[in-house]
Amino acid sequence: MNTRRSPDYLAGYPPALVHQVRTLIEQGGLADALRRRYPQGHAVRSDSALHDYVQALKAAHLRSTPPLAKVRFDNTLHVIRNALGTHTAISRVQGSRLQAKREIRIATLFRAAPEAFLRMIVVHELAHLRVREHDKAFYQLCLHMEPDYHQYEFDLRAYLSYRDAGGEALWGA
């Protein structure tokens, strides 16, 4: 028997707000609200398109950070690591030097999502290139790169709660 609980995507938000979202899910209104706010998905479908998208954001906001060796969609992230995106630095010894290659992986869920959700998760992972912890400086950097970061994050969490409750995907696959 599987007793593993699904994550509470709305943990940490005020109880009244969580109740409002859960009520909308139960009454079937959240899907319509999200579709009105985010009417369509984005065109970033391939790993190379994602790489270009991430590089453009990085060039606009984080020019002094180390280059990215790899950027790709990963269909195992949400299931295995309970994460929507990851950033890693893989260190290898090359001769007498230690070489670090940085990678960003984005959950495949974002392949069929609104551009705002993709931008939010990419901004989040790019911010980790400069600030490791989720502290005040981290979120200030996220807001610098995307002023609506907190709204997009909340809407994404509401959407994940909707999907976790058995709701259908709202944007094309």
Side-chain angles (χ1 to χ4, degrees), residues 19-72:
H19 177 71
Q20 186 179 12
V21 169
R22 291 200 172 127
T23 301
L24 275 172
I25 291 171
E26 290 168 7
Q27 295 174 349
L30 184 65
D32 291 336
L34 287 171
R35 276 195 202 109
R36 277 192 305 276
R37 184 171 280 174
Y38 307 104
Q40 60 190 17
H42 56 77
V44 180
R45 300 291 184 187
S46 67
D47 288 340
S48 63
L50 178 64
H51 184 271
D52 294 343
Y53 182 84
V54 171
Q55 287 297 107
L57 274 172
K58 183 180 176 298
H61 300 288
L62 299 171
R63 286 183 292 255
S64 64
T65 57
L68 295 169
K70 190 181 289 185
V71 177
R72 67 174 10 148

Coordinates of all heavy atoms in Angstrom, one line a residue, residues 19-72:
H19 N -8.0 28.2 1.5 CA -9.4 27.8 1.5 C -10.1 28.3 0.2 O -10.9 27.5 -0.4 CB -10.1 28.3 2.7 CG -11.6 28.0 2.7 ND1 -12.1 26.7 2.9 CD2 -12.7 28.8 2.5 CE1 -13.4 26.8 2.9 NE2 -13.8 28.0 2.6
Q20 N -9.8 29.5 -0.2 CA -10.4 30.0 -1.4 C -10.0 29.2 -2.7 O -10.9 28.9 -3.5 CB -10.0 31.5 -1.6 CG -10.6 32.2 -2.7 CD -10.2 33.7 -2.8 OE1 -9.2 34.1 -2.2 NE2 -10.8 34.5 -3.6
V21 N -8.8 28.8 -2.8 CA -8.3 28.0 -3.9 C -9.0 26.6 -3.9 O -9.5 26.2 -4.9 CB -6.8 27.9 -3.9 CG1 -6.3 26.9 -4.9 CG2 -6.1 29.2 -4.2
R22 N -9.0 26.0 -2.7 CA -9.6 24.7 -2.6 C -11.1 24.7 -2.9 O -11.6 23.8 -3.5 CB -9.3 24.1 -1.2 CG -7.8 23.8 -1.1 CD -7.5 22.8 0.0 NE -6.0 22.5 -0.1 CZ -5.2 22.6 0.9 NH1 -5.6 22.9 2.1 NH2 -3.9 22.2 0.7
T23 N -11.8 25.8 -2.5 CA -13.2 25.9 -2.8 C -13.4 26.0 -4.3 O -14.3 25.4 -4.9 CB -13.8 27.1 -2.1 OG1 -13.6 26.9 -0.7 CG2 -15.3 27.3 -2.4
L24 N -12.5 26.9 -5.0 CA -12.6 27.0 -6.4 C -12.4 25.7 -7.1 O -13.0 25.4 -8.1 CB -11.6 28.0 -6.9 CG -12.0 29.5 -6.9 CD1 -10.8 30.4 -7.2 CD2 -13.2 29.7 -7.8
I25 N -11.4 24.9 -6.6 CA -11.2 23.6 -7.2 C -12.4 22.7 -7.1 O -12.8 22.1 -8.0 CB -9.9 22.9 -6.6 CG1 -8.7 23.7 -7.0 CG2 -9.8 21.4 -7.0 CD1 -7.4 23.2 -6.2
E26 N -13.0 22.6 -5.9 CA -14.1 21.8 -5.6 C -15.3 22.2 -6.5 O -16.1 21.3 -6.9 CB -14.5 21.8 -4.1 CG -13.5 21.1 -3.3 CD -13.7 21.4 -1.8 OE1 -14.7 22.0 -1.4 OE2 -12.8 21.0 -1.0
Q27 N -15.5 23.5 -6.7 CA -16.7 24.0 -7.4 C -16.4 24.0 -8.9 O -17.3 24.4 -9.7 CB -17.0 25.4 -7.0 CG -17.5 25.4 -5.5 CD -17.8 26.8 -5.0 OE1 -17.4 27.8 -5.7 NE2 -18.4 26.9 -3.9
G28 N -15.2 23.7 -9.3 CA -14.8 23.6 -10.8 C -14.6 25.0 -11.4 O -14.6 25.1 -12.6
G29 N -14.3 26.0 -10.6 CA -14.0 27.3 -11.1 C -12.6 27.7 -11.3 O -12.3 28.7 -12.0
L30 N -11.7 27.0 -10.7 CA -10.3 27.3 -10.8 C -9.7 27.2 -12.3 O -9.0 28.0 -12.8 CB -9.4 26.5 -9.9 CG -7.9 26.9 -9.9 CD1 -7.8 28.3 -9.4 CD2 -7.1 26.0 -9.0
A31 N -10.2 26.1 -12.9 CA -9.7 25.9 -14.3 C -10.1 27.0 -15.2 O -9.3 27.5 -16.0 CB -10.3 24.6 -14.8
D32 N -11.3 27.5 -15.1 CA -11.8 28.6 -15.9 C -11.0 29.9 -15.6 O -10.6 30.6 -16.5 CB -13.3 28.8 -15.7 CG -14.1 27.7 -16.3 OD1 -13.6 27.0 -17.2 OD2 -15.2 27.5 -15.8
A33 N -10.8 30.1 -14.3 CA -10.0 31.3 -13.9 C -8.6 31.3 -14.5 O -8.1 32.3 -15.0 CB -10.0 31.4 -12.4
L34 N -8.0 30.1 -14.4 CA -6.6 30.0 -14.9 C -6.6 30.2 -16.4 O -5.7 30.8 -17.0 CB -6.0 28.7 -14.5 CG -5.6 28.6 -13.0 CD1 -5.1 27.2 -12.7 CD2 -4.4 29.6 -12.7
R35 N -7.6 29.6 -17.1 CA -7.6 29.7 -18.6 C -7.8 31.1 -19.0 O -7.3 31.6 -20.0 CB -8.7 28.8 -19.1 CG -8.3 27.4 -19.4 CD -9.3 26.7 -20.2 NE -9.2 25.3 -20.0 CZ -10.1 24.5 -19.4 NH1 -11.2 25.1 -19.0 NH2 -10.0 23.2 -19.3
R36 N -8.6 31.9 -18.2 CA -8.8 33.3 -18.6 C -7.6 34.1 -18.4 O -7.2 35.0 -19.2 CB -10.0 33.9 -17.7 CG -11.4 33.6 -18.2 CD -12.4 34.5 -17.5 NE -12.4 34.3 -16.0 CZ -13.0 33.4 -15.4 NH1 -13.7 32.4 -16.0 NH2 -13.0 33.3 -14.0
R37 N -6.8 33.8 -17.3 CA -5.6 34.6 -17.0 C -4.5 34.2 -17.9 O -3.7 35.0 -18.3 CB -5.2 34.3 -15.6 CG -4.0 35.1 -15.2 CD -3.7 35.1 -13.7 NE -4.6 36.0 -13.1 CZ -4.7 36.1 -11.7 NH1 -3.9 35.3 -11.0 NH2 -5.5 37.0 -11.2
Y38 N -4.4 32.9 -18.3 CA -3.4 32.4 -19.1 C -4.0 31.6 -20.3 O -4.1 30.4 -20.2 CB -2.4 31.5 -18.4 CG -1.9 32.1 -17.1 CD1 -2.4 31.8 -15.8 CD2 -0.9 33.1 -17.2 CE1 -1.9 32.4 -14.7 CE2 -0.4 33.7 -16.0 CZ -0.9 33.3 -14.8 OH -0.4 33.9 -13.7
P39 N -4.4 32.3 -21.3 CA -5.3 31.6 -22.4 C -4.5 30.5 -23.2 O -5.2 29.7 -23.7 CB -5.7 32.7 -23.3 CG -4.9 33.9 -22.9 CD -4.3 33.7 -21.6
Q40 N -3.2 30.6 -23.3 CA -2.5 29.6 -24.2 C -1.2 29.3 -23.6 O -0.6 30.0 -22.8 CB -2.4 30.1 -25.6 CG -1.7 31.4 -25.7 CD -1.8 32.0 -27.1 OE1 -2.7 31.7 -27.9 NE2 -0.9 32.9 -27.5
G41 N -0.7 28.2 -24.2 CA 0.7 27.7 -23.8 C 1.7 28.5 -24.6 O 1.4 29.4 -25.4
H42 N 3.0 28.1 -24.5 CA 4.1 28.8 -25.2 C 4.5 28.0 -26.3 O 4.1 26.8 -26.5 CB 5.2 29.1 -24.2 CG 5.7 27.9 -23.5 ND1 6.5 27.0 -24.1 CD2 5.5 27.4 -22.3 CE1 6.8 26.0 -23.3 NE2 6.2 26.2 -22.1
A43 N 5.5 28.5 -27.0 CA 6.0 27.8 -28.2 C 7.4 27.1 -27.9 O 8.0 26.5 -28.8 CB 6.2 28.7 -29.4
V44 N 7.9 27.1 -26.7 CA 9.1 26.5 -26.4 C 8.9 25.0 -26.1 O 8.5 24.6 -25.0 CB 9.8 27.2 -25.1 CG1 11.1 26.5 -24.8 CG2 9.9 28.7 -25.3
R45 N 9.1 24.2 -27.1 CA 8.8 22.8 -27.0 C 10.0 21.8 -27.0 O 9.9 20.8 -26.4 CB 7.9 22.3 -28.2 CG 6.6 23.1 -28.3 CD 5.7 22.7 -27.2 NE 4.4 23.3 -27.4 CZ 3.5 23.3 -26.5 NH1 3.6 22.7 -25.4 NH2 2.3 23.9 -26.7
S46 N 11.1 22.3 -27.6 CA 12.3 21.4 -27.7 C 13.3 21.8 -26.7 O 13.3 22.9 -26.2 CB 12.8 21.4 -29.1 OG 13.4 22.7 -29.4
D47 N 14.3 20.9 -26.4 CA 15.4 21.3 -25.5 C 16.2 22.4 -26.1 O 16.7 23.3 -25.4 CB 16.3 20.0 -25.3 CG 15.6 19.0 -24.4 OD1 14.7 19.3 -23.7 OD2 16.1 17.8 -24.5
S48 N 16.4 22.5 -27.4 CA 17.2 23.5 -28.0 C 16.5 24.9 -27.9 O 17.1 25.9 -27.6 CB 17.6 23.3 -29.4 OG 16.4 23.2 -30.2
A49 N 15.1 24.9 -28.0 CA 14.4 26.1 -27.9 C 14.4 26.5 -26.4 O 14.5 27.7 -26.1 CB 12.9 25.9 -28.3
L50 N 14.4 25.6 -25.5 CA 14.4 25.9 -24.1 C 15.8 26.5 -23.8 O 15.9 27.5 -23.0 CB 14.2 24.7 -23.2 CG 14.3 24.9 -21.7 CD1 13.2 25.8 -21.2 CD2 14.2 23.5 -21.0
H51 N 16.9 25.9 -24.3 CA 18.2 26.4 -24.1 C 18.3 27.9 -24.6 O 18.8 28.7 -23.9 CB 19.2 25.6 -24.9 CG 20.6 25.9 -24.6 ND1 21.3 26.9 -25.4 CD2 21.5 25.6 -23.7 CE1 22.5 27.1 -25.0 NE2 22.7 26.3 -23.9
D52 N 17.8 28.2 -25.8 CA 17.8 29.6 -26.3 C 17.0 30.5 -25.4 O 17.4 31.6 -25.1 CB 17.2 29.6 -27.7 CG 18.1 28.9 -28.7 OD1 19.3 28.6 -28.4 OD2 17.6 28.6 -29.8
Y53 N 15.9 30.0 -24.9 CA 15.0 30.8 -24.0 C 15.7 31.2 -22.7 O 15.7 32.3 -22.3 CB 13.7 30.0 -23.7 CG 12.7 30.7 -22.8 CD1 11.8 31.6 -23.4 CD2 12.6 30.5 -21.5 CE1 10.9 32.3 -22.6 CE2 11.7 31.1 -20.7 CZ 10.8 32.0 -21.3 OH 9.9 32.7 -20.5
V54 N 16.4 30.1 -22.1 CA 17.1 30.3 -20.8 C 18.3 31.3 -21.1 O 18.6 32.2 -20.3 CB 17.5 29.0 -20.2 CG1 18.5 29.2 -19.1 CG2 16.3 28.2 -19.8
Q55 N 19.0 31.0 -22.2 CA 20.2 31.9 -22.5 C 19.8 33.3 -22.7 O 20.6 34.2 -22.2 CB 20.9 31.3 -23.7 CG 21.7 30.0 -23.5 CD 22.8 30.2 -22.4 OE1 22.7 29.7 -21.3 NE2 23.9 30.9 -22.8
A56 N 18.7 33.6 -23.3 CA 18.2 35.0 -23.5 C 17.9 35.6 -22.1 O 18.3 36.8 -21.9 CB 17.0 35.0 -24.4
L57 N 17.3 34.9 -21.2 CA 17.0 35.5 -19.9 C 18.3 35.7 -19.1 O 18.5 36.7 -18.5 CB 16.1 34.6 -19.1 CG 14.6 34.8 -19.3 CD1 13.8 33.7 -18.7 CD2 14.1 36.1 -18.8
K58 N 19.2 34.7 -19.2 CA 20.5 34.8 -18.5 C 21.3 36.0 -19.1 O 21.9 36.8 -18.3 CB 21.3 33.5 -18.7 CG 22.6 33.5 -17.9 CD 23.3 32.2 -18.2 CE 24.6 32.1 -17.5 NZ 25.6 33.1 -18.0
A59 N 21.3 36.2 -20.4 CA 22.1 37.3 -21.0 C 21.5 38.7 -20.6 O 22.2 39.6 -20.4 CB 22.1 37.2 -22.5
A60 N 20.2 38.7 -20.4 CA 19.5 40.0 -20.0 C 19.7 40.3 -18.6 O 19.8 41.5 -18.2 CB 18.0 39.9 -20.3
H61 N 19.9 39.3 -17.7 CA 19.9 39.6 -16.2 C 21.1 39.2 -15.5 O 21.5 39.7 -14.4 CB 18.7 39.1 -15.6 CG 17.4 39.6 -16.1 ND1 17.0 40.9 -15.9 CD2 16.5 39.0 -16.9 CE1 15.8 41.1 -16.5 NE2 15.5 40.0 -17.1
L62 N 21.8 38.1 -16.0 CA 22.9 37.5 -15.2 C 24.1 37.3 -16.1 O 24.7 36.2 -16.2 CB 22.4 36.2 -14.6 CG 21.3 36.2 -13.6 CD1 20.8 34.8 -13.3 CD2 21.7 37.0 -12.4
R63 N 24.6 38.3 -16.7 CA 25.7 38.2 -17.7 C 27.0 37.7 -17.0 O 27.8 37.0 -17.6 CB 26.0 39.5 -18.4 CG 25.0 39.8 -19.4 CD 25.3 41.1 -20.1 NE 25.2 42.2 -19.2 CZ 24.3 43.1 -19.2 NH1 23.3 43.0 -20.1 NH2 24.2 44.1 -18.3
S64 N 27.2 38.0 -15.7 CA 28.5 37.7 -15.1 C 28.5 36.2 -14.5 O 29.5 35.8 -13.9 CB 28.8 38.7 -14.0 OG 27.8 38.6 -13.0
T65 N 27.4 35.5 -14.5 CA 27.4 34.2 -14.0 C 28.0 33.2 -15.0 O 28.1 33.5 -16.2 CB 25.9 33.7 -13.7 OG1 25.2 33.8 -14.9 CG2 25.3 34.5 -12.6
P66 N 28.5 32.1 -14.5 CA 29.2 31.1 -15.3 C 28.3 30.6 -16.4 O 27.0 30.6 -16.2 CB 29.6 30.0 -14.4 CG 29.5 30.5 -13.0 CD 28.5 31.7 -13.1
P67 N 28.8 30.2 -17.5 CA 28.0 29.6 -18.6 C 27.3 28.3 -18.2 O 27.7 27.6 -17.4 CB 29.0 29.4 -19.8 CG 30.3 29.3 -19.1 CD 30.3 30.1 -17.8
L68 N 26.2 28.1 -18.9 CA 25.4 26.8 -18.7 C 25.9 25.8 -19.8 O 25.9 26.1 -21.0 CB 23.9 27.1 -18.9 CG 23.3 28.0 -17.8 CD1 21.9 28.4 -18.2 CD2 23.4 27.3 -16.5
A69 N 26.2 24.6 -19.3 CA 26.6 23.6 -20.2 C 25.4 22.9 -20.8 O 25.4 22.4 -22.0 CB 27.5 22.6 -19.5
K70 N 24.3 22.8 -20.1 CA 23.2 22.0 -20.6 C 21.9 22.6 -20.0 O 21.8 23.0 -18.8 CB 23.3 20.6 -20.1 CG 22.3 19.6 -20.8 CD 22.5 18.2 -20.3 CE 23.7 17.6 -20.8 NZ 23.9 16.2 -20.4
V71 N 20.9 22.7 -20.8 CA 19.5 23.1 -20.4 C 18.6 22.2 -21.1 O 18.7 22.0 -22.4 CB 19.2 24.6 -20.8 CG1 17.8 25.0 -20.4 CG2 20.2 25.5 -20.2
R72 N 17.7 21.5 -20.4 CA 16.8 20.6 -21.0 C 15.5 20.4 -20.2 O 15.5 20.6 -19.0 CB 17.5 19.3 -21.3 CG 17.9 18.5 -20.1 CD 18.4 17.1 -20.4 NE 18.7 16.9 -21.8 CZ 19.6 16.2 -22.4 NH1 20.4 15.5 -21.6 NH2 19.8 16.1 -23.6

